[in-house]
Amino acid sequence: MAQEHSDQAAPTALITGVLGQDGSLLATELSAVGHRVVGVARPGSVRRPGSIPPGVEVVEADLCDDAAVETLLDQWHPQQIYHLAAFHHSSQEPAVSAVEAKQAMLRHNFLSTQTLALALLRRENEARLVFASSSQIFSGDTGVRRVDEDSHRNPQTLYGHCKSWSMDLLAFLRRESGLHFSSAILFNHESPRRPQVFVTRKISTAAARAARGLPVDLQLLNIGARVDWSSAHDVVRALRLMADADAPADYVVASGVLHSVRAVLDVAFGHVGLEWQRYTQYEEDRDAPALVGDTQRLCQTLGWQPEVSFQEMIVAMVEHDLALAKA
């Protein structure tokens, strides 16, 4: 059990999902500017060495447990809460059935939001809550679809439905009770901390291994598919701006630009002076429906602008994986 802290001068930020890409980056940045940071991890979570900066307290708690969540609030008295914890797909749970995977999805992506929001309501807690939603609340059926906060939602996955339901609940409580609840509609965002199951890290890892003369097995589906990719560092900065804003609101967080998987290959392998065609097997190279985010509200209201380019983002990942391959 974590110890009660007496230093009330520094603002306290509570981050759920602190062991993930966004949570660990956010913990690092908030800690660097003087926040007292408490990270919440699922019971039994495996912590990657170096993922959490010194001074950040990590506690384990079931976010679907009312008593556990209320204990967190009573013990740490956070001024800001970043609810980033999420369950992405069944591969996060070993050997589970389809029904169990759906149960996990509902628990981690909707019930946890409900439990946290209602605990704040019961406590009449004035903490500012920022929830990590997803572009999966939308669907891109044909062509390129540009979406903003008011665009029609049509999720095609249970993950997207859970994120949409959570947004609706938080918006309702915001209107009804005046709580400072905001949702960040996050498009794909990458960094060296992105797990290797995602296509960008698959490619950056393959480029680094090829450059080191190591075996490469890079198999992709459609390299013509286009994605709105942002730097996770830019996304984390947007989350902080939302928590600091005078008024709560929902915001699309994206680059506003589409890049193909082929472009990721070009940048990653080009950085190490190799031709990706020698190392890559793929099934298709065709255009496909795509979503692109409209960040006008975020830029105009909170003054946010992306600072890390697509090329810089991919190169940083390759450099990280070069260091790993050398080790």
Side-chain angles (χ1 to χ4, degrees):
M1 180 66 69
Q3 297 299 313
E4 188 80 28
H5 287 253
S6 60
D7 179 13
Q8 298 301 316
T12 299
L14 189 73
I15 303 173
T16 75
V18 72
L19 302 183
Q21 170 187 247
D22 299 351
S24 62
L25 285 173
L26 182 60
T28 300
E29 295 197 10
L30 290 175
S31 181
V33 296
H35 283 62
R36 183 177 65 177
V37 181
V38 181
V40 183
R42 289 170 55 191
S45 297
V46 177
R47 306 181 189 183
R48 301 187 312 277
S51 62
I52 302 301
V56 173
E57 184 77 33
V58 179
V59 297
E60 294 186 355
D62 180 354
L63 294 174
C64 298
D65 184 316
D66 291 329
V69 170
E70 292 186 2
T71 296
L72 284 174
L73 298 179
D74 291 344
Q75 182 173 10
W76 296 102
H77 306 290
Q79 286 80 48
Q80 296 180 349
I81 300 175
Y82 298 88
H83 184 30
L84 312 182
F87 179 88
H88 291 281
H89 42 65
S90 59
S91 65
Q92 290 185 238
E93 295 285 353
V96 297
S97 68
V99 171
E100 290 172 324
K102 288 180 173 60
Q103 289 175 329
M105 186 74 69
L106 288 165
R107 278 180 53 82
H108 296 302
N109 296 338
F110 177 68
L111 183 56
S112 65
T113 309
Q114 172 188 305
T115 303
L116 183 56
L118 293 182
L120 290 168
L121 183 64
R122 281 194 300 272
R123 288 288 196 272
E124 297 183 348
N125 193 298
E126 296 182 355
R128 297 180 171 195
L129 173 66
V130 177
F131 167 67
S133 184
S134 167
S135 61
Q136 289 193 38
I137 65 174
F138 306 115
S139 66
D141 298 325
T142 58
V144 175
R145 183 186 177 201
R146 181 172 289 273
V147 294
D148 61 20
E149 298 82 4
D150 300 319
S151 296
H152 174 67
R153 300 185 207 167
N154 185 27
Q156 301 297 300
T157 63
L158 182 56
Y159 181 84
H161 278 291
C162 289
K163 292 294 188 177
S164 185
W165 298 334
S166 293
M167 283 187 65
D168 287 339
L169 173 62
L170 296 177
F172 171 75
L173 294 175
R174 181 172 68 210
R175 292 190 302 269
E176 182 190 59
S177 303
L179 297 169
H180 200 294
F181 289 174
S182 300
S183 292
I185 304 170
L186 305 180
F187 280 64
N188 292 60
H189 48 286
E190 317 299 313
S191 79
R193 299 189 188 189
R194 190 67 144 160
Q196 292 187 358
V197 297
F198 291 88
V199 66
T200 50
R201 277 299 306 284
K202 285 182 180 180
I203 293 172
S204 65
T205 299
R209 289 181 61 84
R212 298 296 189 204
L214 299 173
V216 175
D217 180 20
L218 181 58
Q219 301 183 32
L220 304 172
L221 296 176
N222 179 18
I223 66 170
R226 292 180 295 169
V227 178
D228 185 333
W229 273 301
S230 294
S231 164
H233 293 278
D234 285 335
V235 166
V236 163
R237 186 162 43 83
L239 299 177
R240 292 178 55 190
L241 289 171
M242 291 171 63
D244 291 337
D246 291 336
D250 299 338
Y251 295 94
V252 166
V253 184
S255 72
V257 179
L258 291 175
H259 289 94
S260 67
V261 175
R262 190 189 311 104
V264 180
L265 289 163
D266 287 339
V267 174
F269 280 85
H271 182 62
V272 295
L274 298 174
E275 296 181 354
W276 59 263
Q277 291 87 346
R278 294 178 52 198
Y279 303 93
T280 307
Q281 299 179 29
Y282 59 91
E283 296 184 9
E284 295 181 304
D285 182 4
R286 62 176 179 84
D287 199 3
L291 289 171
V292 60
D294 184 337
T295 59
Q296 182 175 348
R297 178 185 294 179
L298 179 63
C299 295
Q300 293 184 352
T301 305
L302 302 184
W304 178 90
Q305 290 289 338
E307 295 179 350
V308 181
S309 72
F310 172 77
Q311 290 78 9
E312 290 169 335
M313 177 183 73
I314 301 301
V315 166
M317 297 169 72
V318 174
E319 286 292 326
H320 171 82
D321 289 328
L322 281 169
L324 292 181
K326 185 176 181 180

